[in-house]
Amino acid sequence: MHVPARKLYQRIAEDIAAAIADGRYRPGTRLPGERDLAEEFAVSRPTIREAMIALEIRGMVEARQGSGIYVTQAPPPAGRSPELDVGAFELNEARILFEGEAAALAATSIEDETLAALDRVLESMAGAGESPGAVDADREFHLLIAEGTGNSIVRSVVEMLWQIRESSPLCVHMFGKARREGVTPRVAEHRLIVDALRARNPQAAREAMRAHLRRVTEDLLAATEVELIERAQAEAHAQRSRIAQRASL
């Protein structure tokens, strides 16, 4: 039976977990910085961020204010971690590649009825603000463009990418954090995509879609960095409370 290959962030998370188990990084010690780890593993910072979040979810590391990421415990002896599936950065990389080309193809064949439907979705997106309806409108927007290609396989693949976003535990965690930080679909960026589609300009549609999805990646980087800071601040607050309690004895 074919065993699916592990995702890149999973392999890195497992390598770091193995280093912890082997004693290279003991509980209480600081891990190398994100940039250093990216150089060591020859991967991007988003991939390292996904690996760190996966280890945090497993309770193996934590952020400490102004200091970095520290090991909290060694991995359980049972072996590999639970499958966390696709991370948001990996998913978005695939969307940039695939949906950019889908937008270019749609620009050559999209019908006026679909453009009108996209206009209505943009109105819904603008009115939804930070409510869950904004995400629903975002999903409908991208599926309409895929449908506008006139290719059922393209439509199915884009729908699959959205299903991954809504079902992968790591994806759900990261996008949920972004929403809690107030990150919502940017209507102006979506409008630029529609403008390029209406102009029947494949290159402009491709560039607008890719620029939009790259901004999503930037938002995710910022939101997950805020999460690390918040965790560190919570730990610092708890430490101050413990010190104050001991001082009052």
Side-chain angles (χ1 to χ4, degrees), residues 34-56:
E34 193 174 85
R35 191 179 302 277
D36 292 334
L37 286 171
E39 292 179 359
E40 177 182 344
F41 289 100
V43 297
S44 66
R45 286 181 59 212
T47 300
I48 295 297
R49 185 73 57 83
E50 285 181 338
M52 291 297 102
I53 292 172
L55 292 173
E56 284 187 299

Side-chain angles (χ1 to χ4, degrees), residues 98-130:
F98 195 85
E99 292 197 51
E101 295 308 308
L105 181 60
T108 68
S109 59
I110 196 164
E111 298 179 351
D112 290 340
E113 292 81 0
T114 305
L115 288 169
L118 287 169
D119 289 334
R120 291 192 294 271
V121 171
L122 285 176
E123 292 177 5
S124 298
M125 194 183 295
E130 297 182 10

Side-chain angles (χ1 to χ4, degrees), residues 65 232-247:
Q65 186 177 24
Q233 290 174 337
E235 173 62 25
H237 177 74
Q239 180 69 16
R240 284 195 297 269
S241 296
R242 289 193 292 270
I243 292 172
Q245 185 178 31
R246 291 173 65 86

Side-chain angles (χ1 to χ4, degrees), residues 10 18 32 77 81 93 118 139 149 218 231 244:
Q10 290 174 323
S81 64
E93 184 177 57
L118 287 169
R139 184 180 192 275
T149 65
E218 292 172 5
R231 291 185 184 185

Side-chain angles (χ1 to χ4, degrees), residues 47-94:
T47 300
I48 295 297
R49 185 73 57 83
E50 285 181 338
M52 291 297 102
I53 292 172
L55 292 173
E56 284 187 299
I57 291 173
R58 293 164 60 186
M60 293 178 57
V61 302
E62 67 177 4
R64 295 184 184 175
Q65 186 177 24
S67 185
I69 305 295
Y70 283 76
V71 178
T72 56
Q73 64 179 31
R80 291 178 61 175
S81 64
E83 176 64 60
L84 290 172
D85 206 5
V86 178
F89 296 122
E90 182 183 18
L91 173 68
N92 230 47
E93 184 177 57

Side-chain angles (χ1 to χ4, degrees), residues 119-149:
D119 289 334
R120 291 192 294 271
V121 171
L122 285 176
E123 292 177 5
S124 298
M125 194 183 295
E130 297 182 10
S131 73
V135 178
D136 294 338
D138 192 21
R139 184 180 192 275
E140 183 180 1
F141 180 91
H142 287 273
L143 290 179
L144 277 169
I145 292 175
E147 190 172 316
T149 65

